[in-house]
Amino acid sequence: MTLGSELKEGLKLSYAALKANKARAALTMLGIIIGIVSVTLMGAAISGLTNAFNNSISSIGADVLYVQKWPWGGGDQEWWKYRNRRDMKIDYADKIRKDATLLSAVAPVVQRLGTLKYSNRVANNVMVEGTTSDLSYVSNMSFIEGRFFTDIESRGDRPLAVLGSDVADQLFPNQDPVGKTVKINGLTFRVIGVRSKQGSFLGMFSLDNLVIIPIGQFQNIYGTHFHPTIEARVVNKNDMGDAIEELRGIMRKIRGLSPYQEDDFSINQQDLLSNAFDKIATIIGGVGFFVTALSLFVGGIGIMNIMFVSVTERTKEIGIRKALGARRRTILAQFLIESSLICLGGGLVGLAISYPLSMLVDKFLPTSMPVSLAFIGIMISLAVGVVSGIVPALRASRLDPVDALRYE
Amino acid sequence: MSGQKVIELVKVNKVYDMGAEVQVNALKDISLVIEKGEYVAIMGPSGSGKTTLMNILGCLDTPTSGLYLFDGVNVSDMNDNELAKIRNQGIGFVFQTFNLIPRSDALHNVELPLIYSGVPVAERKDRAKKTLEMVGLGERVHHKPNELSGGQRQRVAIARALINNPSIILADEPTGNLDSKTGDEIMLFLEELHKKGNTIILVTHEEYIAEHSRRIIRIRDGMIESDLPIEKNGKVKVHHDAEKAASSIGVKG
């Protein structure tokens, strides 16, 4: 008997057997359905979060360095050591730009939430960023319309503003914002550009709800006690290591550190953030999959139980088949196919449930179910079928034909 | 009779281990030859070892010691899969309780042995249909066992036994679950098969049924008590005991 015809015959038999016990098959499937739904939803949540994270940190830029007091991802020292560090100063940017050879643009950035007004329209909780003209080069900015402020405008601290697309939509729903004047905390600014859409960070807060103004104007509004992040763009991404070392040397010189003193600043980059995220994602994923694997395990035990019942019920039939010349392999295949069919059915129904469910969850938490995840779900359910079916199937295949025929 | 040996048992023993060091010697030094075309009845009271003998003859079980040649091939120490092949191609079983697969229709039941021997779909459907026509069930190929009468079920079982052209047909109390009229029909059918040249082994405890055969082997306490040919009128022609039958092996054929 060839493998193909054995498979076909086994499928036919299993289908008939399942049809004969519909309620039982459905209840057994339920265990697998629940397992597959939880596994795929878990996977969808993690892959969705990862996608969202990757999209979000791409706005940070892989070739941008951030000089700050605090390290991203927590660092490896006591938190108070970081807290006791000296603050960053705005003029570091100019000093770094003067000495650096591997950095193309350096900009200080200060941030604060503020309120924007245009005639009777108000935008609350807008991120107000003060910086220099270099920022447009650091973060490779593009514009829906208009432009960024120039070096001269920036150094002259002209009252000019570049809007994020959300703010522009909110204040100027049906008109061109460029050339209009807005009020930020009472001071008047002329809009010169609207930045193109950046999206949101992890789907939680918008990166387009901001306004960028020259740093001197920022100090006019909020005072001088805000400490900036120094953002610098590396000329060549391949020189990242060298660029970090160069930047470190310059910063140590600015800070006046002796060779025996530790750095009292952190040079952050995208990698640090993604490393930290990867760590968290691995932990969430590990715990999540452990829990969901448990539910699949329970479902598998259910299958095994039912398969044992099925083998016992059909002992006589197995005896007949053996008397007619069925080999062990044939009987084994018949029962393995049956348990795999239950699980495959459960897997497919599970996917049919978890796919729309993941779309629903996506409204609250970024979620995505790639084809590969669906495929993995199907493979997992098949594997559960084979693993939980193998012991009952082996028992069936090893039945003694005489005993099996005599069984009533 | 062509004189070709289909079955040859030489000093076959079967010992069952009942645990606690209790052993039951179900068959003791059974020696037996059955030739092609013979119609043999095996008789004996319950506990005589008749069922054990049938299981060994049907390759459902193997002897503890002794030699069993089936069609000249030693099957005494074959493994499960090799025995399955012999059962599939060499033996056609007819059981007292018909033993049809309840969920499958008559056609599929008859097809089963062909499925296990790997015959392609079209050919096996065709052969199964023809065999069902031969047993007079050409109109009932798609009926499930529970839609057939007892006699019809047994005829499906006979069709299933015949489909692979086996060397022997092994019928275990084939009329045991049938009324006498239907039972007679089945026995007539077996008679026809015998006339066509099939080798038939009938296991029964009813004298009346056994007398349809041409030779009666009586088993008692695991030994052959007698082995007698029957005249066409049903009378015993020659009598010779188990010892003689055993010693005659090797001279026959």
Side-chain angles (χ1 to χ4, degrees):
Chain A
M1 193 173 185
T2 63
L3 206 64
S5 68
E6 207 155 287
L7 216 68
K8 209 175 134 194
E9 187 62 20
L11 274 173
K12 233 195 270 174
L13 282 172
S14 308
Y15 178 70
L18 294 180
K19 224 172 78 178
N21 280 305
K22 283 192 203 95
R24 194 165 84 184
L27 281 174
T28 319
M29 245 181 226
L30 199 58
I32 296 300
I33 292 173
I34 293 169
I36 290 296
V37 166
S38 47
V39 164
T40 46
L41 271 188
M42 189 71 216
I46 287 178
S47 88
L49 266 178
T50 309
N51 281 350
F53 180 82
N54 288 338
N55 285 339
S56 301
I57 63 167
S58 69
S59 64
I60 292 170
D63 49 0
V64 180
L65 299 174
Y66 295 77
V67 186
Q68 284 165 310
K69 193 167 144 178
W70 297 89
W72 292 352
D76 46 14
Q77 295 184 38
E78 301 288 341
W79 66 273
W80 51 265
K81 280 198 177 172
Y82 298 122
R83 192 201 56 185
N84 288 346
R85 284 171 167 183
R86 284 175 283 168
D87 290 308
M88 295 295 135
K89 287 184 179 153
I90 291 168
D91 63 351
Y92 290 179
D94 280 336
K95 291 177 180 166
I96 293 168
R97 192 191 298 106
K98 205 176 74 196
D99 288 352
T101 57
L102 299 171
L103 302 173
S104 61
V106 186
V109 178
V110 282
Q111 293 178 322
R112 175 94 206 251
L113 287 179
T115 305
L116 259 71
K117 282 183 191 160
Y118 171 71
S119 67
N120 57 350
R121 290 184 166 271
V122 181
N124 283 312
N125 293 321
V126 176
M127 182 63 76
V128 181
E129 261 185 28
T131 186
T132 63
S133 60
D134 262 23
L135 188 69
S136 66
Y137 305 110
V138 170
S139 46
N140 223 351
M141 258 180 230
S142 59
F143 300 89
I144 297 171
E145 52 190 325
R147 58 177 180 88
F148 207 67
F149 37 82
T150 63
D151 189 41
I152 294 169
E153 286 165 341
S154 149
R155 287 183 186 283
D157 290 329
R158 305 282 304 279
L160 303 174
V162 175
L163 301 183
S165 58
D166 282 3
V167 178
D169 289 347
Q170 206 176 338
L171 293 182
F172 304 94
N174 291 314
Q175 42 187 319
D176 183 359
V178 174
K180 306 280 187 325
T181 54
V182 292
K183 291 207 174 218
I184 305 173
N185 288 30
L187 290 181
T188 307
F189 290 83
R190 184 162 58 90
V191 177
I192 56 167
V194 178
R195 198 178 170 181
S196 48
K197 204 165 177 61
Q198 301 292 300
S200 64
F201 193 81
L202 293 187
M204 287 179 281
F205 57 90
S206 169
L207 295 168
D208 300 306
N209 191 24
L210 96 169
V211 58
I212 305 170
I213 56 177
I215 201 157
Q217 285 294 340
F218 183 92
Q219 289 174 322
N220 285 344
I221 303 171
Y222 299 109
T224 53
H225 57 280
F226 286 90
H227 308 295
T229 297
I230 309 293
E231 301 187 12
R233 186 187 181 90
V234 177
V235 176
N236 188 341
K237 222 167 140 183
N238 300 328
D239 297 335
M240 186 63 101
D242 292 342
I244 291 175
E245 278 314 305
E246 186 188 64
L247 180 56
R248 202 168 146 240
I250 297 169
M251 275 304 294
R252 286 183 70 88
K253 203 177 96 191
I254 294 171
R255 285 289 174 96
L257 297 175
S258 79
Y260 306 104
Q261 282 174 299
E262 289 180 339
D263 290 351
D264 61 350
F265 53 88
S266 293
I267 299 175
N268 291 320
Q269 63 181 113
Q270 195 193 46
D271 278 5
L272 283 173
L273 217 54
S274 37
N275 288 347
F277 177 81
D278 286 349
K279 241 186 250 169
I280 295 167
T282 310
I283 293 168
I284 295 176
V287 173
F289 275 113
F290 178 73
V291 173
T292 49
L294 267 184
S295 69
L296 265 182
F297 182 70
V298 172
I301 290 176
I303 302 267
M304 193 183 278
N305 211 347
I306 281 304
M307 290 313 293
F308 272 127
V309 172
S310 181
V311 168
T312 308
E313 266 181 2
R314 278 187 276 164
T315 301
K316 179 113 184 174
E317 183 189 317
I318 295 165
I320 297 171
R321 290 180 186 280
K322 287 202 152 191
L324 298 179
R327 288 185 296 170
R328 282 187 174 182
R329 192 179 82 182
T330 313
I331 304 287
L332 184 83
Q334 183 188 333
F335 283 94
L336 266 190
I337 289 172
E338 190 173 322
S339 67
S340 305
L341 265 188
I342 295 178
C343 288
L344 195 64
L348 287 173
V349 174
L351 277 183
I353 292 172
S354 64
Y355 185 69
L357 216 56
S358 77
M359 311 250 256
L360 196 71
V361 174
D362 194 40
K363 301 223 184 302
F364 314 102
L365 199 78
T367 310
S368 78
M369 191 179 289
V371 180
S372 62
L373 186 64
F375 183 75
I376 289 171
I378 294 295
M379 286 296 121
I380 288 177
S381 56
L382 256 182
V384 170
V386 171
V387 168
S388 53
I390 190 89
V391 179
L394 272 177
R395 180 192 272 189
S397 75
R398 286 178 184 162
L399 279 175
D400 180 58
V402 175
D403 293 341
L405 271 174
R406 212 185 289 143
Y407 187 89
E408 287 299 335
Chain B
M1 265 182 239
S2 65
Q4 187 190 332
K5 287 185 223 170
V6 179
I7 282 172
E8 182 172 5
L9 297 186
V10 183
K11 292 194 183 272
V12 162
N13 282 279
K14 183 70 187 180
V15 179
Y16 287 111
D17 238 325
M18 308 304 281
E21 291 174 20
V22 179
Q23 289 188 329
V24 174
N25 214 341
L27 293 179
K28 298 168 193 158
D29 282 342
I30 297 270
S31 295
L32 176 68
V33 168
I34 294 171
E35 290 174 353
K36 191 172 181 340
E38 272 199 278
Y39 189 175
V40 183
I42 296 175
M43 291 195 74
S46 54
S48 60
K50 147 186 85 157
T51 306
T52 308
L53 179 61
M54 187 200 71
N55 287 340
I56 287 176
L57 289 178
C59 290
L60 291 164
D61 207 350
T62 48
T64 314
S65 70
L67 201 63
Y68 176 17
L69 303 177
F70 184 91
D71 268 340
V73 181
N74 182 8
V75 297
S76 351
D77 4 87
M78 277 189 168
N79 67 26
D80 271 20
N81 284 340
E82 290 165 331
L83 286 176
K85 198 174 173 191
I86 299 281
R87 291 196 294 267
N88 181 235
Q89 291 170 5
I91 299 165
F93 288 96
V94 179
F95 299 97
Q96 176 176 1
T97 52
F98 322 130
N99 282 351
L100 300 175
I101 307 278
R103 286 190 310 273
S104 304
D105 61 15
L107 188 71
H108 190 257
N109 265 293
V110 176
E111 266 183 273
L112 270 178
L114 296 182
I115 292 174
Y116 295 138
S117 48
V119 175
V121 186
E123 187 193 333
R124 72 178 190 232
K125 294 240 182 262
D126 189 50
R127 269 168 71 180
K129 255 180 212 152
K130 282 188 179 142
T131 315
L132 276 169
E133 274 162 24
M134 201 188 84
V135 299
L137 291 173
E139 307 293 313
R140 303 226 186 275
V141 287
H142 291 304
H143 287 231
K144 298 259 169 76
N146 60 5
E147 296 161 345
L148 297 170
S149 72
Q152 288 170 333
R153 287 185 213 179
Q154 197 58 301
R155 278 190 278 164
V156 173
I158 290 174
R160 185 177 68 183
L162 288 173
I163 189 119
N164 239 348
N165 297 318
S167 303
I168 61 166
I169 291 167
L170 193 56
D172 177 20
E173 304 277 10
T175 60
N177 275 26
L178 301 173
D179 61 67
S180 39
K181 184 170 166 281
T182 324
D184 286 346
E185 277 172 30
I186 294 296
M187 289 321 292
L188 270 175
F189 204 86
L190 288 178
E191 181 69 37
E192 262 178 62
L193 290 178
H194 167 63
K195 282 181 180 150
K196 282 183 194 162
N198 288 290
T199 313
I200 299 174
I201 300 173
L202 188 63
V203 178
T204 183
H205 64 273
E206 282 189 77
E207 206 70 40
Y208 159 77
I209 297 295
E211 276 167 11
H212 286 84
S213 71
R214 301 292 180 274
R215 172 184 168 195
I216 299 181
I217 300 171
R218 287 174 203 276
I219 308 281
R220 186 177 289 274
D221 299 330
M223 290 184 290
I224 293 178
E225 188 186 48
S226 67
D227 186 345
L228 328 161
I230 297 176
E231 267 190 302
K232 275 201 181 137
N233 59 14
K235 289 273 154 58
V236 171
K237 203 167 83 181
V238 191
H239 182 282
H240 52 139
D241 59 19
E243 248 73 12
K244 266 189 184 168
S247 63
S248 70
I249 292 163
V251 195
K252 271 189 178 177

